[in-house]
Amino acid sequence: MRHPASRHLLSLFVLACLASCPTLRTAAGTELRVTPIVKAVQGVKESIVNIHGHKTISTASAIGDAPRQVNGMGTGVVVDERGYIITNQHVVEGVRRIQVTLHDGTTYVAQLIAFDEKTDLALIKVEAEKPLPVVKTGTSSDLMPGETVIAVGNAYGYENSVTRGIISALHRTVQVSDTQKYYDLIQTDASINPGNSGGPLLNIDGEMIGINVAVRVGAQGIGFAIPVDTVMDIASQLMSIERLDRHWHGITGETKFVDGVAQMHVKSVDPNSPASLCGVQAGDVITSVDELDICWMLDIERALLDHETGEEVSLKLQRGEGDEKSLALVLQGQGGANALVDAAWDLLGIRVQMVPTNEFRSNNTRYRGGLKITAVKAYSPAARQQIRVGDVLVGMHEWETISVDNLEYILKSDIIAQKRPIKFYILRDNETYYGDIAVANYRVR
């Protein structure tokens, strides 16, 4: 029979053993340490990439503008497993060799696919050996000042840096330079530094709610992000099958959140489009395309990308109360987009649409009409001449460009066939600009 004191000593011995056992000691500690913030970062870390490159900038000197090389850095997020990445335009602008490093340390050289100057967003692509994890996306429509947010990025070149803070305010307008002004930004006190640009702002659930874009110079703890709803809308335009594959589906949609679940509602369907011909109607909720779950317009573009003309793609939707339908959408080439559309894109690097004559008259311009530029291909002749989306092409060589027929005539002319630079005239903010644009090795037949 043991003495009571010996039982007390035995208890102390057992506790000492438990305390000295690493596995048992850290089990409870690990559970406490894995906070919601840790879980949020772990859930998206493989979808975040670091971007490096070199660019040439001009600096004022005693002998004028002296170009110099600077190191560029930024961040991006994977939006499609085939290697499509969204980032800021200013991160990749002027960078000839865009280097992208994945979370596992693998580095690729990326191609600039498209960009939107107004929102400062760009789409780049890497040719990875395996599918890349796609970032988990939330919504910026229900953000609350005061809620916790997390920023992840390549801050000052320190890769995969994590900072946290709160949402300070919403719908901010920020002028960061003479040429760049942002609208409807999220303001946060999470530390956002040079190199964070293009990286995700996360909510506590690990969902991307914005793209970090700007720091208020001279201010402490004030950063800004582009709302994710805007990011997804622009990304769908940059990654559209019309832009990348020259295909057409004819769907215009918007994402609505019902009980916290994202749904892609069809706003309108173009007449005689592939979507219209297969039976898609305004008001439908598209749930999947080619077995990819659909939450955003970007998902539709992703699902239809890389398919062939005439290929049949399965589409599922809900119509009304629980009425589920399965349709077969057959991809077509761009509708009335004939050889002219292809030629203008391949030869000059622009897409255009006619501007109504009464719109010109309301602006008191001396021109009779023009063609508004709706897209500019990266590294194209138009991009090299700094032609922008929103510019209006009013003339080329000695001809007016009032209609697409005018442009078609010019592109078929002998001056284009001779591959000589041709003078162009554009209208921007009621000011006329001109220059000489080279042409690519292409001719309309």
Side-chain angles (χ1 to χ4, degrees):
M1 184 174 180
R2 289 182 182 145
H3 193 277
S6 65
R7 290 199 299 270
H8 178 67
L9 291 174
L10 181 60
S11 299
L12 291 176
F13 175 75
V14 172
L15 289 173
C17 291
L18 290 173
S20 64
C21 177
T23 303
L24 294 175
R25 185 180 71 247
T26 58
T30 299
E31 184 178 347
L32 293 174
R33 289 165 54 198
V34 182
T35 64
I37 291 177
V38 173
K39 292 178 182 177
V41 174
Q42 289 179 345
V44 299
K45 63 183 180 182
E46 295 183 359
S47 304
I48 302 171
V49 305
N50 298 295
I51 300 173
H52 297 268
H54 302 277
K55 63 175 70 178
T56 302
I57 64 171
S58 296
T59 56
S61 68
I63 57 173
D65 289 339
R68 65 184 180 92
Q69 285 281 327
V70 298
N71 293 323
M73 55 192 172
T75 311
V77 289
V78 178
V79 293
D80 183 81
E81 65 275 359
R82 286 163 289 193
Y84 288 94
I85 296 163
I86 200 79
T87 185
N88 286 138
Q89 182 202 354
H90 75 259
V91 169
V92 295
E93 183 180 18
V95 178
R96 292 189 177 275
R97 185 181 175 87
I98 305 169
Q99 292 183 302
V100 170
T101 303
L102 306 184
H103 184 267
D104 63 5
T106 309
T107 298
Y108 298 95
V109 175
Q111 177 188 4
L112 177 61
I113 301 299
F115 61 87
D116 181 73
E117 189 172 21
K118 183 177 179 180
T119 57
D120 191 25
L121 290 170
L123 183 72
I124 62 176
K125 186 177 188 294
V126 297
E127 298 295 338
E129 288 83 7
K130 60 183 180 181
L132 301 182
V134 176
V135 68
K136 182 181 178 183
T137 306
T139 178
S140 50
S141 63
D142 61 358
L143 298 181
M144 301 171 290
E147 74 170 286
T148 299
V149 290
I150 307 150
V152 186
N154 188 15
Y156 284 109
Y158 294 103
E159 299 179 346
N160 307 313
S161 297
V162 179
T163 58
R164 73 164 185 174
I166 62 169
I167 293 179
S168 304
L170 302 169
H171 310 301
R172 292 298 200 202
T173 298
V174 181
Q175 181 93 39
V176 296
S177 69
D178 292 339
T179 58
Q180 186 66 60
K181 189 174 185 178
Y182 298 97
Y183 299 90
D184 195 32
L185 295 186
I186 303 166
Q187 180 184 330
T188 174
D189 68 350
S191 295
I192 296 176
N193 298 294
N196 276 110
S197 292
L201 187 69
L202 309 173
N203 62 20
I204 200 65
D205 294 324
E207 299 169 330
M208 183 174 74
I209 56 168
I211 290 288
N212 302 319
V213 69
V215 184
R216 182 73 179 189
V217 178
Q220 294 286 337
I222 300 180
F224 299 94
I226 303 170
V228 73
D229 291 8
T230 300
V231 172
M232 297 301 283
D233 179 50
I234 298 300
S236 70
Q237 298 173 36
L238 299 180
M239 200 173 164
S240 70
I241 61 170
E242 181 179 358
R243 179 190 293 270
L244 301 186
D245 283 348
R246 295 177 186 160
H247 284 152
W248 185 41
H249 53 67
I251 299 171
T252 300
E254 64 178 340
T255 297
K256 298 180 181 180
F257 282 79
V258 180
D259 297 327
V261 178
Q263 297 181 349
M264 219 301 296
H265 291 247
V266 178
K267 291 178 63 177
S268 63
V269 181
D270 292 341
N272 300 317
S273 66
S276 174
L277 295 174
C278 82
V280 178
Q281 299 177 8
D284 289 343
V285 177
I286 299 178
T287 57
S288 70
V289 175
D290 198 26
E291 298 185 357
L292 178 70
D293 292 338
I294 303 299
C295 299
W296 304 87
M297 272 301 302
L298 175 62
D299 296 327
I300 293 180
E301 307 297 346
R302 292 174 57 209
L304 297 178
L305 191 65
D306 294 338
H307 288 282
E308 300 294 331
T309 301
E311 187 174 349
E312 188 175 281
V313 179
S314 62
L315 183 151
K316 294 182 180 180
L317 56 81
Q318 291 181 347
R319 180 175 298 162
E321 292 295 330
D323 186 10
E324 297 184 357
K325 294 184 177 295
S326 295
L327 305 175
L329 185 147
V330 180
L331 287 173
Q332 299 178 12
Q334 294 169 343
N338 46 32
L340 168 66
V341 173
D342 293 341
W345 188 247
D346 288 334
L347 191 143
L348 302 175
I350 58 174
R351 296 197 195 283
V352 298
Q353 67 181 28
M354 185 175 173
V355 181
T357 304
N358 58 357
E359 183 174 326
F360 269 81
R361 290 173 178 169
S362 65
N363 290 329
N364 297 317
T365 175
R366 65 180 182 275
Y367 301 105
R368 296 195 303 156
L371 301 172
K372 180 173 288 187
I373 295 172
T374 60
V376 178
K377 183 195 295 185
Y379 303 124
S380 67
R384 286 193 290 270
Q385 289 299 315
Q386 299 181 345
I387 294 175
R388 306 174 184 172
V389 172
D391 288 346
V392 178
L393 182 68
V394 293
M396 294 188 73
H397 190 49
E398 59 188 21
W399 300 293
E400 293 179 308
T401 52
I402 297 175
S403 68
V404 291
D405 291 338
N406 297 151
L407 182 58
E408 184 174 18
Y409 174 83
I410 295 168
L411 295 182
K412 290 181 177 179
S413 68
D414 289 338
I415 191 170
I416 294 293
Q418 294 167 8
K419 302 295 186 294
R420 299 198 321 240
I422 182 172
K423 190 160 300 285
F424 68 91
Y425 302 87
I426 62 170
L427 193 64
R428 180 185 300 165
D429 298 328
N430 286 334
E431 294 286 341
T432 302
Y433 297 83
Y434 63 91
D436 295 300
I437 190 170
V439 293
N441 189 23
Y442 181 91
R443 187 177 181 183
V444 184
R445 300 189 180 278

